[in-house]
Amino acid sequence: MAAFALSLPKVPPVTLMPFAPKSSLASLSVKLTMATSPACKVLISLVIAMVGAKGGSGVTFLATNLAYALARQNKRVAVLDLRLSFGDAAIYLGNTGAKTNLAELAQQYLRVDEAMLEAGMAKVSERVHVLVAPATPELAAEVTPVAIEKIIEVARRHYDFVVMDVSSTLDPVALKAINLA
């Protein structure tokens, strides 16, 4: 019998940076504690992008509960549902009767100001407002990165916190939202 020699290409060593979830969570916790303290006068709000690795990982649940927790600290919170095809943050927040949605505001992004944004938000409570995802997946094409940038900019000026429920599909709109957080 002949012996076979297996020749593998030489692979360079890879140095992995350790992921430290405790330090990442601690850093976020410190920022949230500072921002929710009564002495803190927020001039520009903290924008938080919640992104999951895949659908069904509980990101919408976490984003909506974070919004409620921040509101209990007497902060005004905007929830932006950026899961453009099948967003359901409004359902998690108990509001299914939104008058407008993200796609409709995005079509008029040049005119969006604080009053228009607040009028387009579904009022879940006195301090929690949600901008719902487009009503149908076809309307997702109406939402552009430029429009999202304008909407986030206005929300940042008008609310203490902006919590974004971002799709796990890293399309240009999701990437713009993540970069602005």
Side-chain angles (χ1 to χ4, degrees):
M1 289 179 106
F4 291 98
L6 187 58
S7 161
L8 295 174
K10 202 166 195 176
V11 178
V14 177
T15 304
L16 298 176
M17 298 301 288
F19 174 65
K22 288 183 180 178
S23 66
S24 298
L25 288 175
S27 173
L28 179 60
S29 177
V30 167
K31 286 180 183 178
L32 289 175
T33 302
M34 288 172 42
T36 58
S37 75
C40 180
K41 301 289 186 213
V42 179
L43 299 177
I44 295 181
S45 67
L46 183 61
V47 178
I48 302 167
M50 305 286 288
V51 186
K54 66 181 199 83
S57 61
V59 172
T60 302
F61 175 80
L62 291 173
T64 53
N65 278 278
L66 175 61
Y68 266 122
L70 293 169
R72 291 186 65 187
Q73 300 292 320
N74 292 324
K75 300 296 180 181
R76 291 188 40 151
V77 183
V79 178
L80 305 182
D81 192 349
L82 300 182
R83 293 180 176 270
L84 300 179
S85 294
F86 301 104
D88 55 1
I91 295 169
Y92 277 78
L93 291 166
N95 188 313
T96 56
K99 295 177 185 145
T100 189
N101 62 53
L102 180 62
E104 292 169 2
L105 274 183
Q107 290 171 344
Q108 305 175 52
Y109 76 91
L110 292 173
R111 296 181 42 225
V112 172
D113 60 6
E114 285 87 353
M116 186 177 187
L117 177 65
E118 186 163 345
M121 304 278 270
K123 279 48 170 193
V124 177
S125 71
E126 181 183 333
R127 293 190 180 93
V128 178
H129 300 168
V130 60
L131 182 57
V132 301
T136 62
E138 301 86 51
L139 293 174
E142 303 292 329
V143 183
T144 65
V146 174
I148 283 298
E149 183 172 9
K150 174 69 174 183
I151 290 168
I152 293 170
E153 171 193 315
V154 172
R156 174 178 265 158
R157 288 193 313 257
H158 192 61
Y159 293 90
D160 298 320
F161 288 90
V162 179
V163 178
M164 300 182 297
D165 182 16
V166 182
S167 172
S168 57
T169 304
L170 296 179
D171 57 30
V173 171
L175 291 174
K176 176 58 83 175
I178 292 166
N179 285 334
L180 293 171

